[in-house]
Amino acid sequence: MKYRNVGNSGLKVSEIALGSWLTYGTAAEQKAADACIEKAFESGINFFDTANAYNRGEGEKAMGAALKPYTRSSYVLSTKVFFPMGDGPNDRGLSRKHIFEQCEASLKRLGVDYIDLYFCHRFDAQTPLEETLRALDDLTSQGKILYAAVSEWTGAQITEAAGIAERLNLRPLISNQPIYNMFERYIEREVLPVSAKKGLGQVVFSPLAQGILTGKYKPGAPLPADSRAANNSVNSIITSYLNDQVLHVVQELEQVARQLDISLAQLALAWVLRQPGVSTALIGATKPEQIEENVKAVDVQLTSETVDQIDEILKQVAHFSPKR
């Protein structure tokens, strides 16, 4: 395994990290979570990500239970706050009240004394940004979180937050967590350059495009029975990729992977990790074998010629291009 600093901070995380969106506490049983986290530790993964909103806290509980046998200092743990956790008007967003209450609730569900990296799951236009940043800084002072971060914020929002933090002498944000894969490249336009300037590293999710970039889905073929796409409880997002145009492009990318004697998933992860602004790529796994295969991507070095070849192939899906 290889490790990178998260932005300009001293925090080091494995280049491949394990997340729990749509897996632990939802589609996977606790035994599967335990087995995957055991394999992750064996593989050198030290970063584990979840969120309070994942199945209304069940994702945190499953992740916390699976991490319980391991020394707290041996891993980096992140969770998030923003989405509704109740029916009340203050049970959502990034107000000081909601952030403080949900941090306490997350600590209890996870069974830990502190959260390494605490993400604002989305931007809250209804709460003054200064209020949000002061709340995060206070939680850091209390030792309940070690670092603050954001998820899916725009370049303008990151710039504004960095300016407020500097003006008020608050601890800076160290990370943004966006979607980033061969088909979803919007961060290349503004978010990556702004983040580099402001010292934020990217903890990217869905680097395999919800499993599309594993090659398991074929044009005109029925969905594999055990796949995420075939599970109506968790397939609402993957359906945007399930069209013949995208799947034909995937087949061409698979040919590139074969030429390099690696799997398509390893190619897709190596492509994401080639980006210097990326601190780590979050994978989801329900089987230890998936982790074993994916971590091999850290040893794949893509030449400029291969990257150019991939870009030519991706031009066929212009609506997913970085210029969309």
Side-chain angles (χ1 to χ4, degrees):
M1 180 54 66
K2 298 176 183 177
Y3 302 87
R4 300 182 183 183
N5 287 65
V6 181
N8 286 350
S9 78
L11 183 65
K12 296 183 184 295
V13 295
S14 47
E15 290 187 347
I16 301 294
L18 185 61
S20 62
W21 182 40
L22 303 181
T23 50
Y24 311 139
T26 53
E29 298 294 336
Q30 185 65 50
K31 286 184 178 179
D34 294 346
C36 285
I37 286 179
E38 182 179 4
K39 176 56 69 174
F41 270 94
E42 290 176 2
S43 304
I45 291 175
N46 77 334
F47 183 26
F48 302 90
D49 176 80
T50 186
N52 63 344
Y54 296 167
N55 202 22
R56 285 287 179 98
E58 294 303 313
E60 286 182 325
K61 290 178 182 177
M63 182 70 83
L67 288 170
K68 190 174 182 179
Y70 303 95
T71 304
R72 180 64 184 90
S73 60
S74 68
Y75 61 87
V76 175
L77 178 61
S78 68
T79 190
K80 309 178 186 72
V81 59
F82 172 79
F83 287 111
M85 292 298 288
D87 298 327
N90 291 307
D91 292 336
R92 65 202 67 204
L94 297 177
S95 68
R96 183 178 183 86
K97 176 177 174 63
H98 188 60
I99 288 174
F100 267 65
E101 290 173 348
Q102 282 306 306
C103 182
E104 290 291 345
S106 290
L107 288 170
K108 290 178 182 177
R109 286 189 291 262
L110 290 164
V112 296
D113 295 325
Y114 65 92
I115 296 160
D116 294 284
L117 193 52
Y118 200 39
F119 286 95
C120 296
H121 212 157
R122 292 295 185 271
F123 186 80
D124 183 2
Q126 297 182 357
T127 299
L129 187 50
E130 181 176 326
E131 176 181 337
T132 296
L133 296 175
R134 283 189 183 277
L136 294 171
D137 195 67
D138 287 344
L139 286 175
T140 309
S141 295
Q142 295 171 11
K144 292 179 180 178
I145 68 173
L146 302 188
Y147 302 92
V150 299
S151 177
E152 289 282 28
W153 283 27
T154 66
Q157 290 162 351
I158 291 170
T159 298
E160 184 182 2
I164 291 173
E166 185 175 351
R167 175 169 56 85
L168 299 177
N169 198 29
L170 304 176
R171 295 171 182 84
L173 301 170
I174 70 164
S175 180
N176 176 51
Q177 185 174 138
I179 188 170
Y180 186 50
N181 58 55
M182 289 179 176
F183 297 131
E184 300 281 358
R185 300 175 61 176
Y186 83 91
I187 64 170
E188 294 175 3
R189 188 170 58 244
E190 292 181 358
V191 173
L192 283 176
V194 167
S195 295
K197 184 177 180 181
K198 301 301 180 182
L200 282 73
Q202 308 301 307
V203 173
V204 304
F205 70 88
S206 199
L208 300 180
Q210 297 295 300
I212 293 294
L213 288 167
T214 64
K216 70 173 72 174
Y217 304 104
K218 307 297 182 184
L223 300 175
D226 61 345
S227 68
R228 180 174 297 170
N231 186 338
N232 290 330
S233 66
V234 295
N235 68 358
S236 59
I237 296 176
I238 195 173
T239 53
S240 64
Y241 299 108
L242 288 173
N243 63 75
D244 283 352
Q245 184 182 30
V246 170
L247 295 181
H248 280 297
V249 164
V250 170
Q251 288 192 313
E252 291 188 40
L253 293 170
E254 207 161 10
Q255 290 296 324
V256 176
R258 288 198 187 99
Q259 293 168 11
L260 299 175
D261 197 26
I262 59 176
S263 71
L264 177 56
Q266 290 162 1
L267 176 71
L269 289 166
W271 183 90
V272 164
L273 291 172
R274 92 203 188 285
Q275 184 64 253
V278 171
S279 300
T280 185
L282 286 169
I283 62 169
T286 56
K287 300 175 183 177
E289 295 79 16
Q290 295 168 326
I291 296 173
E292 197 168 13
E293 177 189 347
N294 289 342
V295 295
K296 294 176 182 177
V298 302
D299 294 320
V300 177
Q301 298 295 321
L302 300 180
T303 65
S304 57
E305 291 79 11
T306 298
V307 173
D308 290 343
Q309 184 183 5
I310 290 170
D311 280 341
E312 282 299 313
I313 294 171
L314 294 175
K315 286 180 180 178
Q316 299 175 63
V317 280
H319 58 296
F320 283 129
S321 76
K323 296 181 180 180
R324 62 179 180 157

